[in-house]
């Protein structure tokens, strides 16, 4: 049985992965930080406790970093 590629959008850019991938591995593969960030999936906060779960096809993922300002 052939795996169906996983297509997702990360920070507005489309990406395809040949096999299931966890959110944590996706961030590492794309050289995005895993510390000091929040992740939203389809507009809702995705808790860090779930980052080892596989991403779903078609997810819209936003990696958000805190910005200090005054």
């Amino acid at each position: 049985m052939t795996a169906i590629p996983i297509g997702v959008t990360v920070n507005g850019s489309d990406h395809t992965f040949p096999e299931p991938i966890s959110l944590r591995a996706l961030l590492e593969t794309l050289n995005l930080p895993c510390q000091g960030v929040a992740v939203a999936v389809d507009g809702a906060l995705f808790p860090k406790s779930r980052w080892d779960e596989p991403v779903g096809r078609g997810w819209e993922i936003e990696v958000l970093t805190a910005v200090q300002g005054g």
Side-chain angles (χ1 to χ4, degrees):
M1 185 172 175
T2 304
I4 298 171
I6 307 295
V8 297
T9 302
V10 181
N11 292 348
S13 297
D14 294 331
H15 298 275
T16 303
F17 299 94
E19 57 191 37
I21 187 169
S22 71
L23 181 60
R24 188 177 312 278
L26 179 147
L27 294 175
E28 291 170 359
T29 299
L30 297 178
N31 294 318
L32 294 168
C34 289
Q35 298 293 323
V37 298
V39 174
V41 174
D42 296 331
L45 182 63
F46 197 79
K48 199 165 195 171
S49 62
R50 296 184 57 200
W51 284 17
D52 291 318
E53 297 178 13
V55 300
R57 285 182 180 82
W59 279 10
E60 296 273 340
I61 301 169
E62 293 293 327
V63 180
L64 312 164
T65 57
V67 177
Q68 291 184 344

